[in-house]
Amino acid sequence: MPDPDAPVPEVNERNVFVVLVNAYDMLLVEGKPGSVNTLRQDAKNFFLNPSNSPNLSEKNLENIPFIGPYEKSKGVISLQNDRGTSYEMYVKVQNELAAAINEMRDELAMQKFGKKFSDLSEEYSKAIAKAIPVAISEAEPKDIGGTK
Amino acid sequence: MGRFKKTGNKETPGINTGSMSDIVFMFLFFFMVITKIRQGELFVRISAPPATEVQKLERKNLVSYIYIGAPIKSNLYGVEPRIQLNDQFATSDDIAEYITNERAARNEADRQFLTTSIKVDKKVKMGLVTDVKQELRKVGAFKINYSTKKGKVTD
């Protein structure tokens, strides 16, 4: 059970990937109108930050068992939807974000162990999960578009 | 011509009960065959949204289900999406009790693995789903699973 009095961890602005969905199932990704089709790539880009852009997530060199030094992203996806968002859209967005993380895990697993993430032994998959955690935070939904 | 001599008493003979057991067994097997064990009859129409990143639920006996969708009998119950727990319609206030009952039905060791599977129709608005999630959070059921069907999401 999470402690309700736990201090709110401080998160730098650039480390938050904001995804908003409104009551009309429209996406706002990092302040710009976005689409489900590009969400996966955008999220991956945000975490991996291959060009070390100052607008994308920070990375921190960490020593992870079995993997060694790895530039772990400090990024967090913040997902907020409206009470009027359809469940279908919600699942689509969740699916794409999960797909982004799964793809990154698969790529790292391939590179380090030559196997897909799902085929790894328990300790290896734990190591990968440590390097690439599921950093999706869901905020309480807004009620702007109305519930109907 | 005394061949058809009427002898003895003229009472009607009793009904032959020799085949009674056949009839009884026939009835018994008939009812055994036509009876089906009723499990999870749905009162709400659910068409799950497609998703690609799906996982199979393990240990189905440790899963409790919550259904959300528009009632199938819309002439009786209207078209507004409703929550179904077990065999009846419910409101989000009933969820806490439902989860408590589900927990009590499992043995001590398995309780921590209890997962809640939420089956929602794709047209349902997130407001209702969020209410359900809030209730689940209140009773500490943090293991949630969204039920979807396998399929392409993006176009």
Side-chain angles (χ1 to χ4, degrees), chain A residues 54-74:
Chain A
N55 300 320
L56 301 175
S57 73
E58 274 181 278
K59 287 180 287 187
N60 191 15
L61 202 66
E62 246 182 68
N63 219 350
I64 290 162
F66 303 111
I67 296 179
Y70 176 75
E71 285 199 309
K72 185 177 170 180
S73 172
K74 285 185 178 176

Side-chain angles (χ1 to χ4, degrees), chain B residues 51-137:
Chain B
T52 52
E53 309 301 308
V54 289
Q55 281 172 333
K56 267 237 146 54
L57 268 178
E58 281 165 26
R59 304 185 69 182
K60 287 257 166 68
N61 57 332
L62 290 178
V63 180
S64 34
Y65 295 94
I66 294 178
Y67 305 96
I68 307 175
I72 289 174
K73 290 182 180 165
S74 55
N75 51 346
L76 273 179
Y77 303 112
V79 289
E80 272 299 296
R82 301 279 288 271
I83 303 167
Q84 184 192 341
L85 303 171
N86 285 332
D87 279 343
Q88 54 198 21
F89 288 121
T91 60
S92 50
D93 302 329
D94 301 327
I95 286 171
E97 199 191 331
Y98 172 69
I99 295 294
T100 319
N101 288 342
E102 286 286 308
R103 281 207 188 118
R106 308 309 197 279
N107 66 43
E108 200 93 24
D110 287 340
R111 267 176 215 169
Q112 50 174 323
F113 302 114
L114 195 66
T115 313
T116 314
S117 178
I118 312 180
K119 291 196 176 192
V120 187
D121 187 81
K122 57 187 173 191
K123 292 207 185 80
V124 171
K125 300 290 181 200
M126 277 311 288
L128 192 58
V129 183
T130 310
D131 291 343
V132 170
K133 272 165 64 186
Q134 297 286 354
E135 286 299 317
L136 289 174
R137 196 195 293 176

Side-chain angles (χ1 to χ4, degrees), chain A residues 2 36-37 81-88 90-92 95-96 99 102 138 140-141 147-148, chain B residues 49 51-53 80 120-122 124-127 130-131 133-134 137 142 146 148 153-155:
Chain A
V36 187
N37 300 326
N81 48 267
D82 193 277
R83 288 186 67 88
T85 305
S86 79
Y87 180 68
E88 185 177 24
Y90 172 76
V91 167
K92 267 187 195 174
N95 186 65
E96 286 310 296
N102 286 348
E138 232 179 282
E140 216 107 304
T147 329
K148 181 66 206 144
Chain B
T52 52
E53 309 301 308
E80 272 299 296
V120 187
D121 187 81
K122 57 187 173 191
V124 171
K125 300 290 181 200
M126 277 311 288
T130 310
D131 291 343
K133 272 165 64 186
Q134 297 286 354
R137 196 195 293 176
F142 297 124
Y146 297 114
T148 57
V153 175
T154 48
D155 28 51

Side-chain angles (χ1 to χ4, degrees), chain A residues 7 16 28 36 50 78-79 98 103 105-106 124 126 145:
Chain A
V16 186
L28 195 71
V36 187
S78 164
L79 173 62
E103 275 183 18
R105 282 181 170 180
D106 271 347
Y124 284 168
K126 266 193 183 150

